[in-house]
């Protein structure tokens, strides 16, 4: 009932009062329903079965053109005005409304299906003292629900209890912030004692007061009152909708926010109706055409009044006027008659043709096998059919990182131990060998090894097994220095709960090389070293934080030896090494530069032997510092600094945060097309930077990469201005903002910031807290100016709402077309805010796909979507519009010239049936063939020359200037097509001496010449001929002559005398040589100037398109050279544990962290074992050009 009520309120447009505080009681539905909180159902659809017809018709008649044609239809029903039958407008109007309604209904049915799929998911809800399986949509605020491992979190929950020690749960928040590392949440102790006892949970009657629904993902404030005692609630005790429960057998939670009130949905942004720039331009042009039509009709009405006064009385004896109609009234009626006759300047078939073209080009995306991903059986999908041509005009791309550019897979790739690098393979000549799927893998012969871990360098295994002390110490450090928690479901089946994916990869590597981290207690760590069980005493954990960028552990071996093991960012570790390590440091630095050049995430490893007496003294001081009330952090930092000195270097690790296949090549291609890419990610700065280097977005050859990380508005402004002045010293202090008006009736005010020229390439990296200040009104333009000067922009630690704000900022002030691409729920608001939203169906659920306009499985398909499908769609749509306006203006202008010879009587030049069939049949199919099949160059040449994309960004192919040129061309052609047939037919006789200069013969000659000219003009505009194009062009002409001879025949006249008055005209006129000569002369005079003008233009001012098409004719596309991976020489290396959180070490050493619960079997972390994430296999890919070459060779 709550769902029905909330939907009813939405339908009626009523807005609930703003909620100031949420107050709820557990297990008390009547109490909670009294506050009319929304339930857990979500609705993204627009219509239902009752509202579809009225709402859809209301929306369609909101289009100016549809309203105009309805008005025209009403005019045609007035006999005193209309010289055309009503069906000439009614049939096309009904067809357009029907096709659009069917498309809108289809889109909304898909939205209903996706809503139904989500709302009908099942979850266990505690009702009347028992757990019942209920649909998500029926869950109410105040309900207690049970979640199990790998389930999505149903709503925003207050965690009550869990199966894990200390009431912990592990959740994956990829859909919220893009991070795949596990986050830890912890319930209150008082609720944790409820456990999974249903009777205790059913008796729980705690009351919660908390903040109202909002979009802040990282904050939550509230209190829970139980038995008169108040308990503070914060973000660590809340599970948000969109998270996934991991490595936790079960947990119970109290629903706080449901459905649209959840933080996930609050961050989703508003769904806006997206229209292309060509749509907006068409609205302006249609309005201009209305004005032009009114002008022509006014001229005709004035002409009619003058003619009636001067000449009309001569005709009254045989054309008497109706009673009461004088010259003034005749002029007024003539105005409306010409509105009907000249209405073809705004043809209704334009809109239905546009919809058909967009639908056809959408099918090409759906059917493209080169955008199909076989591993997940995912084809590309055009989820919206109205935005295709906009894909050919993209200037800015806003991309998520995790799951969009990367695979969410971490692999231990290479390492440097004691000055020697491992992980690469070399042949006998010393040349590096590329590792492929066929390369032999290392057989670890270790019962506890992870079968999904792969490594190819056999020499490292031999080194470890050969007893090399440095190599064994290296992997011993990896097995001991971490905060990973192990889970052993069965004997030998180990699962690691790593808060950082880097740590998981490193501990797994140690496990496979013979140093297996098996278990831990607050005081000990148990490791199996080369098959032998060794228990180390854990004396201290020197925890990680963002300033230290390292972590250390101090352990005592069974022999009593004290050792500190440390890992961290290489720059930090090298500062703390013993002088005796200088030579080893130099060798390791060379290896680190190579690893960073390959885009790997690196860490340095070091150790130190500790004296027992010193350790006792240090431990005592450590205890005093950790219990101090004031200055605790500073005192601990001093002690950590004191301990972590004079370290001995062991080596370095290199972990690969695996990019998706083809990402660097795709970014390189898009950059050549002058498309700017901004990365907006929820990850930490160093993670994002590292991926930026891996993708070649950030490059060493860039002049400078600016880091904006200030914590105050003043600091952010200073850093942005400093960066801007360094890039462009002569730039003005204040931005150049151009204000203008645009849109229908010029009612929309626009502000645009002009681009400023910069010499060289720069990069910008800005943190989330700095971005929050930069997005404030007084700093917006400063951020935009500085960012737009840079080739690459990376925004780190941004919230979903900030992503949308960045997109809206660029949309507002740059007046360019934007595209947002992401794969998680945290990307939804960004996808909705951009002109084009692209969803990647990856590891993070389907929220992004459901909100997107286009979807596919891999980022690399984006270049095909834009450079091929987008460019072709834009080119086809522009050609279609130019040709469509051209053919209809010619058609209409001939009426205009004829008015001066028919006494402005609104008589039509052409036969009524020709007028009806001109746009619906004779000229419809040829232009559809051009708009569906034409391409200037094929897809391979489109990839070879990404610069072909530039004209779309500048909107060169169809704009207001192109429209005016089209108008002038049409006026010239219409003069030829009227006056040449008129002069040729004037006082002309047949070859047998009979007169043929009658109205019907002239009409036939004029309309035949018109049809031949517009079809030849289409042939000139066609770049790519197919059998379908040929059939449509010549078939349309054949259909015209067949229909003409049929409707002008004696039989049709005898059956329908009033409908087919042109009896015998075709056979009497078209058998005369002078008629065909007139058609030929008219065609020649219309087409020859166009050919000459285009020839001269190509010779003097060839476009990039002309140059490439010339090259295509001259030479074959060169065979693609195999891409050789280039090693980037880098002086920059990644820091430590990018996704790691401060303070996790304290939990590891907690006295209560191993409280035992009954062990129960749990499902595996990854249910789908063939997914890339589960397999952890190295992924190999070919370049786009290699893939195409292989396809052609077949």
């Amino acid at each position: 009932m709550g769902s029905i009520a909330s939907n009813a309120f939405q339908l009626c447009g009523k807005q609930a009062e703003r909620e100031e505080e949420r107050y709820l009681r557990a297990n008390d539905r009547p109490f909670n329903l009294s506050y009319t909180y929304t339930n857990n159902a979500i609705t993204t659809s627009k219509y239902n079965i009752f509202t579809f017809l009225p709402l859809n018709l209301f929306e369609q008649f909101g289009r100016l053109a549809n309203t105009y044609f309805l008005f025209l239809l009403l005019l045609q029903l007035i006999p005193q005005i209309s010289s055309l039958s009503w069906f000439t407008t009614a049939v096309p109007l009904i067809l357009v409304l029907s096709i659009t309604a069917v498309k809108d209904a289809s889109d909304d049915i898909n939205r209903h299906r996706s809503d139904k799929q989500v709302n009908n998911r099942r979850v266990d809800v505690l009702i009347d003292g028992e757990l019942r399986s209920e649909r998500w949509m029926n869950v109410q605020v105040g309900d207690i629900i049970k979640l199990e491992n790998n389930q999505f979190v149903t709503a925003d929950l207050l965690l009550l209890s869990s199966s894990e020690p200390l009431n912990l749960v592990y959740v994956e928040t990829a859909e919220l912030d893009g991070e795949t590392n596990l986050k830890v949440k912890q319930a209150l102790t008082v609720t944790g004692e409820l456990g999974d006892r249903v009777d205790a949970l059913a008796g729980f009657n705690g009351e919660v007061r908390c903040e109202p629904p909002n979009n802040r993902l990282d904050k939550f404030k509230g209190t829970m009152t139980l038995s008169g005692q108040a308990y503070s609630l914060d973000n660590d005790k809340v599970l948000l909708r969109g998270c996934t429960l991991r490595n936790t057998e079960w947990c119970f939670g109290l629903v706080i926010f449901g459905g649209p009130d959840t933080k996930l949905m609050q961050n989703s942004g508003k769904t806006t109706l997206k229209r292309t720039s060509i749509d907006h331009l068409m609205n302006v042009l249609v309005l201009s055409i209305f004005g032009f039509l009114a002008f022509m009709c006014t001229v005709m009405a004035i002409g009619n009044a003058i003619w009636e006064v001067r000449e009309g009385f001569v005709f009254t004896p045989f054309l008497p006027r109706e009673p009461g109609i004088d010259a003034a009234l005749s002029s007024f009626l003539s105005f409306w008659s010409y509105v009907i006759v000249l209405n073809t300047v705004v043809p209704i078939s334009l809109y239905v043709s546009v919809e058909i073209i967009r639908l056809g080009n959408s099918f090409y995306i759906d059917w493209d096998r080169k955008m199909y991903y076989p591993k997940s059986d995912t084809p590309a999908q055009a989820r919206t059919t109205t935005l295709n041509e906009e894909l050919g005009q993209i200037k800015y791309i806003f991309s998520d990182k995790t799951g969009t550019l990367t695979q969410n897979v971490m692999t231990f790739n290479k390492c440097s131990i004691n000055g020697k690098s491992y992980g690469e393979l070399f042949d006998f000549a010393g040349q590096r060998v590329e590792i492929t799927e066929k390369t032999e893998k290392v057989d670890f012969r270790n019962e506890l090894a992870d079968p999904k871990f792969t490594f190819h360098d056999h020499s490292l295994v031999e080194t470890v097994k050969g007893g090399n002390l440095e190599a064994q110490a290296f992997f011993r450090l990896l097995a001991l220095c971490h905060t990973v928690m192990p889970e052993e479901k069965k004997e030998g089946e180990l699962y690691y709960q790593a808060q950082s994916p880097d740590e998981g990869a490193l501990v797994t590597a140690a496990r496979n090389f013979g140093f297996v981290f098996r278990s831990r207690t607050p005081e000990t760590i148990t490791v199996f070293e080369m098959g032998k069980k060794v228990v180390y005493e854990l004396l201290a954990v020197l925890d990680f934080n963002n300033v230290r960028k390292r972590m250390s552990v101090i352990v005592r071996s069974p022999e009593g030896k004290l050792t500190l093991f440390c890992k961290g960012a290489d720059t930090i570790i090298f500062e703390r090494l013993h002088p005796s390590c200088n030579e080893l440091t130099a060798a390791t630095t060379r290896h680190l530069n190579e690893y960073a050049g390959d885009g790997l995430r690196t860490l340095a490893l070091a150790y130190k032997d500790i004296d027992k007496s010193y350790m006792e003294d240090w431990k005592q001081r450590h205890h005093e510092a950790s219990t101090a009330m004031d200055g605790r952090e500073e005192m601990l930092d001093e002690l950590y600094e004191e301990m972590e000195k004079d370290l001995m270097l062991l080596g370095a690790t290199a972990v690969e945060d695996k990019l998706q296949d083809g990402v660097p090549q795709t970014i390189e291609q898009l950059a050549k097309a002058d498309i700017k890419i901004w990365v907006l990610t929820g990850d930490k700065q160093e993670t994002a930077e590292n991926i930026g280097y891996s993708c070649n977005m950030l490059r060493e050859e860039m002049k400078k990469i600016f880091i904006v990380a200030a914590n105050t508005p003043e600091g952010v402004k200073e850093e942005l201005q400093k960066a801007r002045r360094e890039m462009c010293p002569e730039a003005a202090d204040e931005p150049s903002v151009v204000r203008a008006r645009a849109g229908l009736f010029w009612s929309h005010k626009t502000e645009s910031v002009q681009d400023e020229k910069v010499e060289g390439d720069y990069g910008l990296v800005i943190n989330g807290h700095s971005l929050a200040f930069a997005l404030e009104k007084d700093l917006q333009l400063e951020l935009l100016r500085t960012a737009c000067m840079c080739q690459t922009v990376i925004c780190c630690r941004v919230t979903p709402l900030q992503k949308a704000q960045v997109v809206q900022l660029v949309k507002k002030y740059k007046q360019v077309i934007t595209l947002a691409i992401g794969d998680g729920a945290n990307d939804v608001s960004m996808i909705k805010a951009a002109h084009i939203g692209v969803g990647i169906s990856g590891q993070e659920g389907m929220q992004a796909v459901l909100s997107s306009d286009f979807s596919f499985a891999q980022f690399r398909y984006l270049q095909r979507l834009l450079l091929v499908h987008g460019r072709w769609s834009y080119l086809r749509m522009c050609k279609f519009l130019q040709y469509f306006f051209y053919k209809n203006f010619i058609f209409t202008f001939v009426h205009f010239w004829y008015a001066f010879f028919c006494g402005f009587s609104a008589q039509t030049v052409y036969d009524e049936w020709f007028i009806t069939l001109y746009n619906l049949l004779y000229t419809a199919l040829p232009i559809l063939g051009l708009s569906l099949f034409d391409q200037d160059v094929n897809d391979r040449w489109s990839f070879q020359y990404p610069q072909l994309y530039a004209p779309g960004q500048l909107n060169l192919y169809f704009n207001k200037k192109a429209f005016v040129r089209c108008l002038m061309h049409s006026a010239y052609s219409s003069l030829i097509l009227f006056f040449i047939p008129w002069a040729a037919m004037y006082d002309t006789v047949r070859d047998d001496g009979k007169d043929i200069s009658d109205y019907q013969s002239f009409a036939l000659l004029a309309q035949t010449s018109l049809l031949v000219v517009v079809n030849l003009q289409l042939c000139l505009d066609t770049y790519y001929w197919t059998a379908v194009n040929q059939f449509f062009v010549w078939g349309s002409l054949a259909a015209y002559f067949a229909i003409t001879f049929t409707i002008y025949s004696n039989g049709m006249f005898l059956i329908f005398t009033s409908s087919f008055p042109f009896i015998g005209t075709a056979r009497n006129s078209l058998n005369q040589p002078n008629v065909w000569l007139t058609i030929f002369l008219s065609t020649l005079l219309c087409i020859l100037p166009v050919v000459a003008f285009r020839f001269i233009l190509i010779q003097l001012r060839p476009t990039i398109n002309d140059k490439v098409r010339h090259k295509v004719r001259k030479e074959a596309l060169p065979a693609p050279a195999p891409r050789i991976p280039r090693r980037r020489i880098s002086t920059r290396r990644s820091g430590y544990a990018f996704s790691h959180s401060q303070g996790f070490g304290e939990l590891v050493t907690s006295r209560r962290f191993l409280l035992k619960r009954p062990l129960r079997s749990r499902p595996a972390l990854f249910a789908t074992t063939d997914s890339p994430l589960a397999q952890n296999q190295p992924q190999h890919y070919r370049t786009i050009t290699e893939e195409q070459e292989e396809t052609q060779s077949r």
Side-chain angles (χ1 to χ4, degrees), residues 357 360-361 364 389 868-882 927 929-936 957 1024:
I357 291 164
N361 285 310
Y364 290 148
E389 67 270 13
V868 177
H869 291 289
R871 201 176 64 81
W872 283 350
S873 293
Y874 173 70
L875 185 70
R876 290 164 181 165
M877 184 60 71
C878 292
K879 278 191 175 185
F880 165 79
L881 291 172
Q882 287 192 36
I927 184 57
L930 173 102
S931 306
L932 291 175
F933 301 110
D934 198 46
Q935 47 184 261
D936 51 352
Y957 290 150
Y1024 184 70

Side-chain angles (χ1 to χ4, degrees), residues 915-1179:
I915 294 172
T916 304
L917 297 175
Y918 178 72
N919 277 318
L920 285 182
L921 181 61
Y922 297 149
T923 59
L925 291 179
I927 184 57
L928 280 180
L930 173 102
S931 306
L932 291 175
F933 301 110
D934 198 46
Q935 47 184 261
D936 51 352
V937 294
N938 64 25
D939 54 348
R940 293 194 68 194
W941 281 99
S942 297
F943 284 135
Q944 189 79 3
Y945 291 96
Q947 298 85 352
L948 285 167
Y949 192 80
Q953 296 171 322
L954 302 172
N955 201 17
L956 295 181
Y957 290 150
F958 188 76
N959 49 40
K960 292 173 184 175
K961 287 183 181 178
F963 176 75
V964 172
R965 286 196 298 268
C966 175
L967 190 68
M968 295 170 65
H969 182 200
S970 305
Y972 163 77
S973 298
S974 68
L975 284 168
I976 298 294
L977 288 172
F978 176 77
F979 285 102
I980 295 295
W982 175 80
M985 294 292 286
Y986 191 71
D987 287 339
T988 302
V989 294
R990 290 163 48 92
D991 50 10
D992 58 5
K994 293 180 180 178
D995 187 21
I996 60 168
S997 60
D998 61 285
Y999 161 71
Q1000 293 185 347
S1001 298
F1002 172 73
L1004 177 67
L1005 177 57
Q1007 67 194 35
T1008 305
S1009 301
L1010 170 66
L1011 203 59
V1012 171
V1013 166
V1014 295
N1015 273 283
L1016 283 178
Q1017 182 66 43
L1018 181 90
C1019 294
L1020 285 179
D1021 290 338
T1022 302
Y1023 287 154
Y1024 184 70
W1025 282 96
T1026 66
V1028 177
N1029 292 76
Q1030 300 273 8
F1031 174 75
F1032 282 170
V1033 171
W1034 308 120
S1036 293
L1037 284 172
Y1040 165 71
F1041 285 109
I1043 291 171
T1044 300
F1045 276 100
T1046 301
I1047 64 178
Y1048 292 178
S1049 65
N1050 295 0
M1052 295 299 287
F1053 176 75
L1054 292 172
I1055 299 169
F1056 308 102
T1057 305
S1058 62
S1059 299
F1060 301 99
F1062 280 47
I1063 179 173
T1065 305
R1067 64 177 181 267
N1068 289 334
S1069 299
L1070 295 179
N1071 63 357
Q1072 297 300 304
N1074 59 344
V1075 171
W1076 288 104
L1077 185 62
T1078 303
I1079 294 172
F1080 175 73
L1081 181 62
S1082 302
T1083 304
L1084 196 65
L1085 288 173
C1086 285
I1087 298 299
L1088 203 58
V1090 176
V1091 174
F1093 177 74
R1094 290 186 182 181
F1095 175 78
I1096 294 169
L1097 202 62
I1098 287 175
Q1099 298 303 314
L1100 299 180
R1101 292 174 58 189
T1103 63
I1104 177 68
N1105 196 287
D1106 296 326
K1107 293 175 183 176
V1108 174
R1109 290 185 66 237
H1110 177 73
K1111 195 165 187 174
V1112 170
R1113 287 194 293 270
K1114 292 289 184 184
E1115 61 186 69
L1117 184 65
R1123 183 181 292 272
I1124 300 171
R1126 291 175 295 176
R1127 183 183 296 276
R1128 175 167 54 82
I1129 305 303
S1130 172
T1131 55
R1132 175 204 166 279
R1133 296 184 293 276
S1134 60
Y1136 168 51
F1138 311 105
S1139 302
H1140 206 77
S1141 296
Q1142 179 177 357
F1144 204 56
E1146 186 178 343
L1147 179 63
V1148 169
T1149 54
S1150 167
R1151 293 277 171 188
R1152 301 174 53 207
F1153 121 91
L1154 281 183
L1155 297 175
K1156 293 294 182 183
R1157 293 280 175 92
L1159 186 63
R1160 302 181 188 179
S1161 62
R1162 303 178 185 173
L1165 175 58
F1166 300 105
T1168 310
T1169 56
D1170 59 350
S1171 72
L1173 184 59
Q1175 287 178 341
N1176 204 16
Q1177 296 287 339
Q1179 308 277 318

Side-chain angles (χ1 to χ4, degrees), residues 232-456:
S232 176
L233 304 177
D234 56 26
N235 205 45
D236 289 335
K237 297 172 179 61
V238 175
L239 305 182
L240 301 182
R241 180 172 177 148
C243 299
T244 307
L245 198 65
R246 298 291 193 202
N247 292 12
T248 306
E249 186 179 351
W250 53 261
C251 75
F252 284 87
L254 172 66
V255 177
I256 300 174
F257 302 122
D261 288 346
T262 59
K263 290 181 183 283
L264 173 67
M265 298 305 293
Q266 292 278 313
N267 269 285
S268 293
K270 293 181 179 179
T271 301
T272 55
L273 182 64
K274 294 184 179 181
R275 294 286 182 196
T276 67
S277 58
I278 284 182
D279 275 333
H280 295 303
L281 177 60
M282 277 171 57
N283 284 338
V284 174
L285 294 181
V286 165
L287 188 65
S288 305
I289 291 170
F290 285 155
F292 185 57
L293 175 62
F295 169 75
M296 287 195 295
C297 293
T298 302
V299 171
M300 297 296 98
I302 294 170
N304 179 268
I306 296 170
W307 187 88
E308 285 287 350
V309 170
R310 292 186 178 181
E311 306 286 343
F313 65 90
V314 178
F315 294 86
T316 51
F318 58 91
L319 284 176
R321 293 193 181 106
E322 293 183 16
I325 295 183
D326 55 8
L329 183 57
S330 174
S331 173
F332 175 76
L333 294 176
S334 175
F335 176 89
W336 295 109
S337 297
Y338 271 107
V339 167
I340 296 171
V341 171
L342 303 179
N343 79 83
T344 45
V345 286
V346 191
I348 194 166
S349 56
L350 170 69
Y351 290 93
V352 70
S353 300
V354 165
E355 295 297 334
I356 292 171
I357 291 164
R358 286 171 172 168
L359 186 64
N361 285 310
S362 297
F363 282 135
Y364 290 148
I365 296 171
D366 294 343
W367 295 338
D368 193 341
R369 291 187 177 182
K370 292 180 181 177
M371 294 172 69
Y372 169 73
Y373 190 56
K375 287 186 179 178
S376 60
D377 188 27
T378 307
Q381 186 180 9
R383 296 175 52 82
T384 302
T385 58
T386 57
L387 302 172
N388 298 356
E389 67 270 13
E390 200 108 280
L391 290 170
Q393 300 177 271
I394 303 299
K395 183 65 178 178
Y396 284 84
I397 292 176
F398 301 92
S399 175
D400 178 39
K401 180 193 74 70
T402 309
T404 303
L405 301 177
T406 64
Q407 295 183 28
N408 291 349
V409 177
M410 296 284 185
T411 55
F412 179 83
N413 204 299
K414 298 172 186 176
C415 63
S416 171
I417 302 175
N418 198 30
K420 183 177 180 182
S421 180
Y422 297 92
E424 293 181 332
L425 300 182
F426 298 89
D427 58 18
F428 293 109
Q431 297 296 316
R432 189 160 60 155
V433 177
E434 185 181 359
I435 296 174
T436 66
E437 293 180 1
K438 296 180 180 178
T439 306
E440 183 185 359
K441 299 172 184 175
V442 171
D443 181 8
F444 292 100
R445 295 181 182 176
N446 175 358
E447 291 180 1
L448 294 174
D450 185 343
K452 294 184 285 292
F453 179 86
T454 58
F455 203 74
H456 297 89

